[in-house]
């Protein structure tokens, strides 16, 4: 009987945690810039994404490592380091920016994968963008 009460209590705790949409130890990664942006292939102008990282208590996380990764094939580009991925660290406001990147010559939509980690906690997000030959003026849905 004692085992059942303990098991039942643990099940209730897990159910309560999932009801709030968060499990202890996870990071929330919110895209704050670059989502929906159109990158200018002709002028080689890309729009670097930025994210905000918060913990399970909704506090900003300074010092988190954030990795931004472009797709291997199709539309995408390279970061200032000439690679498809780059690392950044969140500042005191919990914000990390990918820095500049150049779109490749392939038109179309793509997603930049974002992975954050801090003291064993992890979180992820995707940033949707498009490469275009048309002059776009650099539209971005989020700023």
């Amino acid at each position: 009987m004692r085992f059942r009460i303990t098991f039942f209590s643990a099940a209730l705790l897990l159910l309560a945690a999932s009801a709030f949409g968060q499990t202890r130890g996870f990071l929330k990664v919110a895209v704050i810039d670059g989502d929906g942006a159109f990158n200018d292939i002709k002028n080689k102008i890309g729009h670097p994404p930025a994210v905000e990282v918060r913990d399970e208590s909704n506090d900003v996380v300074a010092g988190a490592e954030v990795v931004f990764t472009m797709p291997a094939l199709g539309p995408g580009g390279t970061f200032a380091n000439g690679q498809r991925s780059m690392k950044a660290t969140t500042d005191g406001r919990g914000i990390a920016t990918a820095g500049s990147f150049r779109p490749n010559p392939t038109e179309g939509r793509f997603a930049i994968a974002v992975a954050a980690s801090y003291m064993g906690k992890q979180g992820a997000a995707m940033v949707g963008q498009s490469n275009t030959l048309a002059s776009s003026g650099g539209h971005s849905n989020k700023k």
Side-chain angles (χ1 to χ4, degrees), residues 3 7 10 30 33 35 54 56-57 62 84 99 105 109-112 137:
F3 175 75
F7 177 77
D33 198 13
D35 197 40
R54 293 182 176 264
E56 66 274 2
S57 299
R84 288 186 314 101
R109 293 180 177 177
F110 64 97
I112 301 169

Side-chain angles (χ1 to χ4, degrees), residues 13-39:
L13 182 62
L14 288 172
L15 182 61
S18 65
F20 289 105
Q22 293 298 318
T23 303
R24 189 163 187 77
F26 280 76
L27 297 176
K28 301 176 213 172
V29 181
V31 179
I32 60 171
D33 198 13
D35 197 40
F38 291 92
N39 302 308

Side-chain angles (χ1 to χ4, degrees), residues 31-87:
V31 179
I32 60 171
D33 198 13
D35 197 40
F38 291 92
N39 302 308
D40 185 343
I41 295 172
K42 185 177 178 181
N43 295 308
K44 299 180 182 176
I45 299 171
H47 296 277
V51 296
E52 179 186 63
V53 179
R54 293 182 176 264
D55 64 15
E56 66 274 2
S57 299
N58 209 34
D59 295 324
V60 296
V61 178
E65 181 180 272
V66 179
V67 178
F68 297 89
T69 305
M70 296 279 186
L73 301 171
T78 56
F79 292 103
N81 62 6
Q83 303 295 314
R84 288 186 314 101
S85 66
M86 70 158 298
K87 291 181 185 178

